[in-house]
Amino acid sequence: MKKNVRKAIIAGNWKMNKTRPEAKELIEAIKPLVADAGCEVVVCTPYTNLETAVEMTKGSNVRVGAENVHFEKSGAFTGEISADMLTEVGVQYVIIGHSERRQYFGETDETVNKRTKAALAAGLKPIVCVGELLWERECNITEEVVGRQIKLDFYDVSAEDVKKCVIAYEPVWAIGTGKTATADQAEEVCAFIRSKLADLYGDAAAQAVTIQYGGSMNAGNAAELLAKENIDGGLIGGASLKAPDFAEIVRAASKG
Ligand code: PEP
């Protein structure tokens, strides 16, 4: 299977940005700009905007994602949101294990694994984030770090289920820093992730998984990154908050 038969997905990660009126304005601006996209378009918004986003994107080609999900179905987990709560409002995607969750909120590969399985069980499509710190890259252990994350984050996930997942390779040093991995650096790790998936699940499953790059992807550098064989899309932070920039990335992904 080749890149051109995998689903290209451009997902915006709004992080902790946009009040409801601001979210409405951004979605209103994005919709017409991406209406004829040749790839899947997803906006992952703060919880408070999910219902609005689902309502506003009905009948359009824009899908809605959350930025996290808890792994238990219900119970005494103050401040958390379950997978069923997300599907109930019409959310289809969920970001899991973003480096900001790992860095600031104690997320571990074990909880990423639990969240991934809970999301899959509820019918959500997980966007599972992996990536190395700058120090780990400098120590030449990028493959060791990312390989370990893939093994642990997908522990006990079946080959059928892994095909429903999206993996976002996000070198931590490139997130929100303006430092993008070069297209060759990004391709090297995305190809490694696919080879690791092939070891764990076989070649057919590995070839079916959409692997995104994330880390300061923008309107200017997207085309070069997205032209690479193993980069099937992008997880976009800063540039997803500006409709014309986000739409330009969607256009680049549509060309592949
Ligand atoms: C992200 O938050 O997933 C991300 C890639 O952010 P940015 O595009 O701003 O680097």
Side-chain angles (χ1 to χ4, degrees), residues 5 8 11 18 31-32 40-41 45 95 124 140 168 190 195 211 221 247:
V5 297
K18 302 294 174 190
K31 274 196 305 185
E40 181 102 320
V41 181
T45 81
I95 299 171
L124 290 166
N140 225 1
C190 290
S195 74
I211 302 178
N221 61 26

Side-chain angles (χ1 to χ4, degrees), residues 13 15 98 170 174-176 214-216 235-238:
N13 173 16
K15 311 193 188 202
H98 190 279
E170 300 209 306
I175 297 178
S216 301
L235 183 56
I236 321 296

Side-chain angles (χ1 to χ4, degrees), residues 11-15 95 98-100 129 168-180 213-218 234-241 249:
N13 173 16
W14 289 11
K15 311 193 188 202
I95 299 171
H98 190 279
S99 64
E100 287 150 17
C129 302
Y169 166 56
E170 300 209 306
V172 180
W173 48 272
I175 297 178
T177 58
K179 277 188 211 157
T180 320
Y213 167 77
S216 301
M217 192 187 270
N218 58 42
L235 183 56
I236 321 296
S240 73
L241 299 173
I249 298 171

Side-chain angles (χ1 to χ4, degrees), residues 13 44 47 65-71 81-83 86 92-102 107-122 124-131 149 152-154 157 164-170 212 235:
N13 173 16
C44 298
Y47 291 132
E67 299 176 14
N68 194 18
V69 63
H70 193 61
F71 42 83
I81 300 283
S82 75
L86 295 178
Q92 295 186 30
Y93 286 84
V94 60
I95 299 171
I96 296 176
H98 190 279
S99 64
E100 287 150 17
R101 300 294 320 168
R102 294 178 190 255
E107 199 76 63
T108 64
D109 288 309
E110 189 181 359
T111 56
V112 170
N113 174 250
K114 285 180 169 180
R115 288 175 206 268
T116 301
K117 287 192 283 197
L120 285 163
L124 290 166
K125 295 186 181 96
I127 300 175
V128 179
C129 302
V130 298
Q149 289 171 331
L152 297 178
D153 296 352
F154 292 96
V157 174
K164 298 173 194 156
C165 296
V166 177
I167 298 177
Y169 166 56
E170 300 209 306
Q212 299 174 318
L235 183 56

Side-chain angles (χ1 to χ4, degrees), residues 223-234:
E224 193 188 353
L225 287 156
L226 292 165
K228 292 290 182 186
E229 176 62 30
N230 286 286
I231 303 179
D232 309 313

Side-chain angles (χ1 to χ4, degrees), residues 169-207:
Y169 166 56
E170 300 209 306
V172 180
W173 48 272
I175 297 178
T177 58
K179 277 188 211 157
T180 320
T182 65
D184 286 341
Q185 282 174 323
E187 166 65 10
E188 193 180 13
V189 183
C190 290
F192 168 74
I193 290 171
R194 204 175 301 288
S195 74
K196 190 79 194 163
L197 291 172
D199 290 347
L200 295 168
Y201 293 105
D203 203 44
Q207 289 296 330

